[in-house]
Amino acid sequence: MSASKQQESKPIGVRAQVWYRPGQAARQIETGEVPKILAQAEGLLWTGLYNPEPQMLHEAGQAYGLPADAIEELLTPHKRPKLIEYGDFLLVVVITVGLKDKRPVFGETQLLIGKNFLLTIRRSSLIHHSDLRARLENAPDLLARGPDYVASELLDLIVDHYLQALDVLERAVESIEQQFLLHGFRETDVRRIYRLRRDLLRTHTVVTPLAEICQRLSRIESEVIDVHARAYYLEVSDRVRRTSEFIYALREAVAFAFEGGMMIEQMKQTDTGRKLAAWAAILAVPTALAGIYGMNFKIMPELEWTLGYPFILSVMGGVCGTLYWKFKKMKWL
């Protein structure tokens, strides 16, 4: 049975703790065995923790021989990516992005990279490492490249989930564009676009710094990162930069859709105002004539004329018809 399929037998905090050695089967180990295994300086020890309790993190930190400040850093929640060097190992903090009910859900993944070990800590992250672990277990040559290579694969997996989340957000942006440009928008639509822009801004804030971190990992002078593994981090950095540009493009598309919708609404209001003004001008003619003849003076033009009433109605109709024709020609009606 592969190590990834044995995770359910572990406590909820420890999802997998496997020792991989060239030419030998992977073996699940206990935390107490970690110092002995690390002293052998062979193979790869990969431990995956999920929402661990502080006591469990303290025990893991002591087993891996971490200093007090490193353990404290592992216990601290983060909201932005981070890279810290501790001499014999590196700590990389990454903010993950998943989706729940078509809204981004942000989590945290910490990667502690050593010479012969990799410790991953996930908090509130929707990204599972079991599939990647299973794929690498089926390709021992990849695991033999060391923890720095596995860490680059994990970062690449996180970027894949960035893009999956953005694909859903892109469809939401396209839906908003169609709604605004074809049908206008209502008050609920304004709330919807504000929420989407805020989600994109938060996503951009947590994704963009990862490009610089991966860039540093591709240039860093450290025994933990092999020279041959630096190219992998450079590739991940390029992917993060393209992802960041994609997020920026979606934000611009939302802004343009909102501006376009506002312009369409203004045009509709202007068109409505013109129609109202045209009809007001047309109706002002009969209103004025009726008002004059309703003043009940004894001496009024055409009062004694038999055709006076039809004549006034004809005048009203002629003037109103002329105004209607003029406004129609001006495309006000």
Side-chain angles (χ1 to χ4, degrees):
M1 183 183 296
S2 67
S4 62
K5 294 182 180 179
Q6 298 177 0
Q7 295 176 13
E8 299 302 327
S9 62
K10 286 287 183 180
I12 187 171
V14 181
R15 304 311 296 266
Q17 192 160 242
V18 188
W19 185 22
Y20 302 99
R21 290 170 293 174
Q24 300 187 35
R27 181 168 73 87
Q28 289 273 7
I29 67 168
E30 300 297 331
T31 303
E33 301 178 74
V34 170
K36 178 181 177 181
I37 292 175
L38 294 181
Q40 297 185 22
E42 66 172 356
L44 166 63
L45 175 59
W46 183 359
T47 300
L49 305 181
Y50 180 71
N51 290 336
E53 297 292 337
Q55 181 61 31
M56 179 177 292
L57 274 181
H58 276 289
E59 294 175 358
Q62 293 172 358
Y64 278 89
L66 306 182
D69 57 341
I71 297 177
E72 187 66 27
E73 191 68 36
L74 294 179
L75 291 168
T76 304
H78 300 83
K79 294 185 178 180
R80 292 176 65 86
K82 194 173 185 179
L83 172 62
I84 306 177
E85 298 183 52
Y86 289 102
D88 293 337
F89 56 89
L90 297 172
L91 176 61
V92 181
V93 179
V94 186
I95 305 302
T96 61
V97 180
L99 284 179
K100 185 176 182 181
D101 299 328
K102 297 183 179 181
R103 294 289 306 281
V105 177
F106 300 96
E108 176 187 351
T109 296
Q110 296 178 337
L111 308 178
L112 192 67
I113 311 171
K115 295 180 181 179
N116 60 343
F117 72 86
L118 176 64
L119 173 63
T120 61
I121 303 170
R122 294 187 295 132
R123 291 190 179 94
S124 303
S125 175
L126 301 179
I127 301 176
H128 301 283
H129 300 166
S130 56
D131 292 340
L132 175 62
R133 186 186 288 268
R135 178 170 66 84
L136 294 178
E137 287 176 353
N138 292 328
D141 292 342
L142 297 180
L143 282 174
R145 296 180 183 180
D148 48 359
Y149 171 77
V150 177
S152 70
E153 286 287 327
L154 285 170
L155 292 175
D156 197 59
L157 175 66
I158 291 173
V159 177
D160 286 339
H161 281 77
Y162 287 163
L163 294 174
Q164 292 177 14
L166 290 175
D167 285 340
V168 176
L169 295 178
E170 182 183 23
R171 289 194 290 271
V173 171
E174 291 175 352
S175 174
I176 285 179
E177 287 179 329
Q178 293 179 357
Q179 171 70 26
F180 281 14
L181 298 179
L182 299 180
H183 308 290
F185 57 86
R186 302 178 297 274
E187 183 178 353
T188 55
D189 296 321
V190 176
R191 294 194 182 98
R192 178 185 172 196
I193 194 171
Y194 174 77
R195 184 170 60 246
L196 181 57
R197 290 190 68 179
R198 183 181 61 184
D199 290 341
L200 289 171
L201 177 60
R202 293 179 62 193
T203 304
H204 188 269
T205 301
V206 302
V207 168
T208 302
L210 183 58
E212 181 61 29
I213 289 176
C214 293
Q215 187 76 20
R216 287 179 58 189
L217 289 171
S218 69
R219 302 191 308 260
I220 196 169
E221 295 291 339
S222 173
E223 297 181 359
V224 177
I225 305 296
D226 187 79
V227 175
H228 301 290
R230 295 175 186 174
Y232 302 126
Y233 292 98
L234 184 60
E235 182 179 351
V236 175
S237 176
D238 292 339
R239 292 194 66 199
V240 175
R241 292 186 189 279
R242 291 194 297 269
T243 303
S244 180
E245 293 172 358
F246 185 28
I247 299 173
Y248 181 78
L250 290 179
R251 290 175 57 196
E252 289 295 304
V254 172
F256 290 152
F258 183 76
E259 293 175 0
M262 289 292 294
M263 293 179 62
I264 291 175
E265 287 297 317
Q266 291 175 358
M267 292 174 62
K268 288 181 179 179
Q269 293 177 3
T270 302
D271 186 59
T272 301
R274 288 176 176 177
K275 290 180 179 180
L276 292 175
W279 282 113
I282 293 172
L283 295 177
V285 176
T287 301
L289 293 177
I292 292 173
Y293 277 88
M295 290 188 291
N296 295 323
F297 287 106
K298 290 184 177 181
I299 301 176
M300 295 288 290
E302 315 303 343
L303 286 179
E304 303 297 333
W305 186 30
T306 305
L307 299 178
Y309 182 66
F311 174 74
I312 292 300
L313 290 180
S314 300
V315 171
M316 290 182 183
V319 176
C320 290
T322 302
L323 290 175
Y324 181 84
W325 174 73
K326 286 286 187 181
F327 287 129
K328 195 72 173 178
K329 187 176 181 180
M330 294 168 59
K331 295 183 179 181
W332 280 37
L333 291 175

